[in-house]
Amino acid sequence: MAPKRKAKSVSQAGKRAKGVSIPSVSDVDALAEPIISQKNYNNIVKLLDHFDQVITILEKNDDEEVEKSGRKIAVSLFNVFEKLMAESLLISRKSYDEKKTLVVKWLVEKYERYKNLGFQLVSGTFSARLSIQVDLLEILMNLVRLESQYFKSAPSDPYFASRTYTRAVTSLISRDCVPLGDGTSDDFLVFEFKSLFGPNWDLQFYFFNQLDEELKTLKKTFSPEKLQSVFANVYTILKDPLVVAEVLEDAPLWTNGLLPNGAYKRSSFKSQFQKAILTLLTFPLTQNQYKSVLLILHNRIIPHMAQPQRLMDFLTDSYNSGGEIVPILALNSLYELMKTFNLEYPDFYTKLYSLLTPRMMYTRYRSRYFRLCDLFLSSTHLSAALIASFIKRLARLALTSSASGVVIVIPFIYNLLKRHPTCMIMVHNPNVTNYTDPFDNDEQDPLKTKAIGSSVWELETLMTHYHPNVATLATIFKEPFRKHNYNLEDFLDWSYASLLESEKNRKYRPAALEFERWPKVFGSESYTGWSL
């Protein structure tokens, strides 16, 4: 659907004063009709000149009538060149005589001019979101399909119009945009392109085939702010899953024809994809874009890379960066490299322990951290001193965390104790007198905190928590450890709102009371034996 906007018309008198005359829709039809029927090819030049004037006017003013004429010119020229392709008049053949070859050469020049105007219009930034830009993007994509069909050496030869497609993609990702909070672009043409890009394997393969070179060129010429727009446009396209087919020959195609053999080699795609991603990650990113790419790295990018190990430096730098959020977001991808590609990270648990801060308990990515931490601490080969440090630090944080955070901590500690029974001494150690907590909360090395000699007295404190759900949940540590592990997913998404909602919807049973029925509230019958 074409985007709507408020028109700011420029008067026809103003156009004539500047020597510009834009034909009406009927005039465009009159110019386009004889081009094919009478081979009046000079009208192509007239239409191209008018199209050029339309773009010049729209770059300065938002004129609805001019845009309407421009849309008609663009579609008319597309229909003309489509028919010329079908008649093989846009590609030279050995069978053509010298005169026809010259005509074909002349028509090819006009066709290239038409495409260049289309690229200019797609890449341009105008005062309004123009419907003609959507038309031109669709036209350029249809020209890719037509060229792939008609520009073959032989009808049975595989071919894809990669040159036209690459220029269209470059024009698209070079557009100015405002990066949104999630790192994506707000550009309407990018979303229009995504509807074509998403389901078609050939568009995806050739999108990345030359993207690395194009990005390197843009990086040399664009400012940091402009590069952030380029990243936002590319990231918006990358964010959705790519086509994954067991047999690539069966994957849907935009061109509906045979592709060159290289397009059916997944290894070739992964190699080009990897080059583009590594170049893209060298761009100067905003903080939101940095976080956003880490969010999708493990499931949208790493599976499509030929050598995901190339991301090791990027991920370790992210994991070692300051703050709580960025290291948490890097955990997924870092774990994927450690699990699948044997990445060695000696201080992994030290850094994981350092992320347990009061601020982390209030971040929006708290659930992600606990989900991954539960996975990382699941091995029974980890030392008791390490596990005890995590248990103690979590118990200490629970004293100052929100009720929704404590609801996660209690079952998390319970599961750790069940999984690592050597740490049960922190709960059951009756032979203690004149107790002094040896735990060093400021020590960053979890193997040196002396937590294994401490106790989780904080859990007993939580049994008198102001929130009844928390207090009831904490009493599990008073009972024998016969309960199976908690399903942590049941506790990760709790918030103040959900806790209040659960209390509001709770059905309370009336208390059973025993009482003696009295005939009177006051009177001698009620106060036998009493006297004033």
Side-chain angles (χ1 to χ4, degrees), residues 13 58-59 114 144-145 170 245 276 282 343 353 424 523:
L58 293 177
E59 285 176 342
Y114 173 59
V144 170
R145 174 184 283 167
T170 304
T282 62
L343 169 67
Y353 178 76
M424 288 295 292

Side-chain angles (χ1 to χ4, degrees), residues 16 78 158 475:
R16 294 191 192 98
F78 171 77
T475 57

Side-chain angles (χ1 to χ4, degrees), residues 151-206:
F151 285 10
K152 301 176 181 180
S153 300
S156 59
D157 288 348
Y159 180 73
F160 182 85
S162 57
R163 180 173 172 271
T164 299
Y165 179 59
T166 300
R167 292 191 62 191
V169 167
T170 304
S171 300
L172 184 71
I173 65 175
S174 301
R175 290 174 55 80
D176 287 329
C177 72
V178 178
L180 302 177
D182 61 350
T184 58
S185 168
D186 69 337
D187 195 278
F188 69 110
L189 275 189
V190 174
F191 287 98
E192 187 71 22
F193 175 76
K194 278 181 63 177
S195 63
L196 306 177
F197 176 86
N200 295 301
W201 168 250
D202 50 352
L203 297 186
Q204 293 180 10
F205 179 87
Y206 286 99

Side-chain angles (χ1 to χ4, degrees), residues 47 56 215-216 238 312 348 368 389 404 440 471 517 519 522:
L47 287 175
T56 302
L215 291 176
K216 288 179 178 177
L238 280 178
M312 287 192 298
F348 178 79
R368 173 186 285 256
S389 294
S404 57
D440 185 357
R517 187 181 297 275
F522 299 104

Side-chain angles (χ1 to χ4, degrees), residues 249-267:
E249 286 80 358
D250 298 334
L253 303 178
W254 170 250
T255 54
N256 296 322
L258 289 175
L259 299 178
N261 291 333
Y264 296 113
K265 295 180 180 178
R266 197 175 295 276
S267 59

Side-chain angles (χ1 to χ4, degrees), residues 353-364:
Y353 178 76
S354 69
L355 294 178
L356 281 172
T357 62
R359 185 178 175 185
M360 190 280 297
M361 298 298 293
Y362 290 90
T363 65
R364 61 183 296 189

